[in-house]
Amino acid sequence: MCSSDLRLQYPKKLEGEGVVLKLLNSSAHSAPLAKIKYSKGIFHIPAFKGMVEAQKINFENNKLEKGNILKLKDIPTKIEIYCIESRPGDGGKFIKSGGNSATITKIIEKDVYVLMPSKKEKKFHGNCRAIIGVAAGAGR
């Protein structure tokens, strides 16, 4: 399978933790890709700045460490995030290009407001997930 054929999204249901199996360089993507293994299979995401092979990534323990995939409502304000879901469970649609990130600005009840790289604020449902950190590949 060619790296341009990969679906860069995480599964609908993630539990526990995963391990970075391999970092891949793809000419079709602006960010390096990470191959992640978890209890139910393998998926690919854009790598974050500073990611290393064999690194553990948590999906549900609410630890604020780079690479963890958490619900927006569980991430405090002023934290950089990328690969944000547009709807809960869609696997991440926003901010996947190299060197980009967004910042959570405020949380009001079930809504989370995120300052996008375009400097526009966008509202997301609190159950949408995102990856903590900045997408790698800023110098490409």
Side-chain angles (χ1 to χ4, degrees):
M1 176 184 280
C2 172
S3 61
S4 63
D5 297 334
L6 298 175
R7 299 189 77 208
L8 294 183
Q9 59 186 34
Y10 26 90
K12 286 185 186 216
K13 297 199 181 208
L14 282 173
E15 299 168 348
E17 68 178 21
V19 176
V20 179
L21 290 180
K22 188 156 182 73
L23 294 173
L24 308 166
N25 189 14
S26 171
S27 59
H29 299 91
S30 63
L33 310 180
K35 184 177 184 179
I36 311 291
K37 182 179 184 347
Y38 76 117
S39 61
K40 296 182 181 174
I42 292 176
F43 63 96
H44 294 83
I45 58 171
F48 65 87
K49 186 177 176 183
M51 181 181 265
V52 294
E53 291 181 4
Q55 182 171 355
K56 293 194 184 312
I57 300 205
N58 291 298
F59 307 131
E60 59 188 358
N61 71 357
N62 297 345
K63 277 189 178 177
L64 294 176
E65 295 175 0
K66 288 182 181 178
N68 288 354
I69 300 171
L70 302 175
K71 291 181 179 178
L72 292 176
K73 67 181 181 182
D74 297 330
I75 303 172
T77 58
K78 303 205 167 125
I79 298 289
E80 289 184 306
I81 55 174
Y82 73 101
C83 201
I84 306 168
E85 292 180 323
S86 61
R87 279 177 266 132
D90 74 7
K93 302 289 183 200
F94 292 102
I95 311 172
K96 294 168 127 183
S97 58
N100 278 329
S101 68
T103 307
I104 295 177
T105 55
K106 58 188 169 192
I107 301 170
I108 301 173
E109 295 179 15
K110 292 184 179 180
D111 296 327
V112 176
Y113 292 83
V114 175
L115 184 63
M116 304 298 271
S118 65
K119 303 300 179 210
K120 291 190 177 175
E121 197 170 58
K122 185 163 175 56
K123 179 172 79 169
F124 291 92
H125 189 281
N127 286 330
C128 289
R129 297 171 295 173
I131 303 172
I132 295 177
V134 177
R140 292 177 90 167

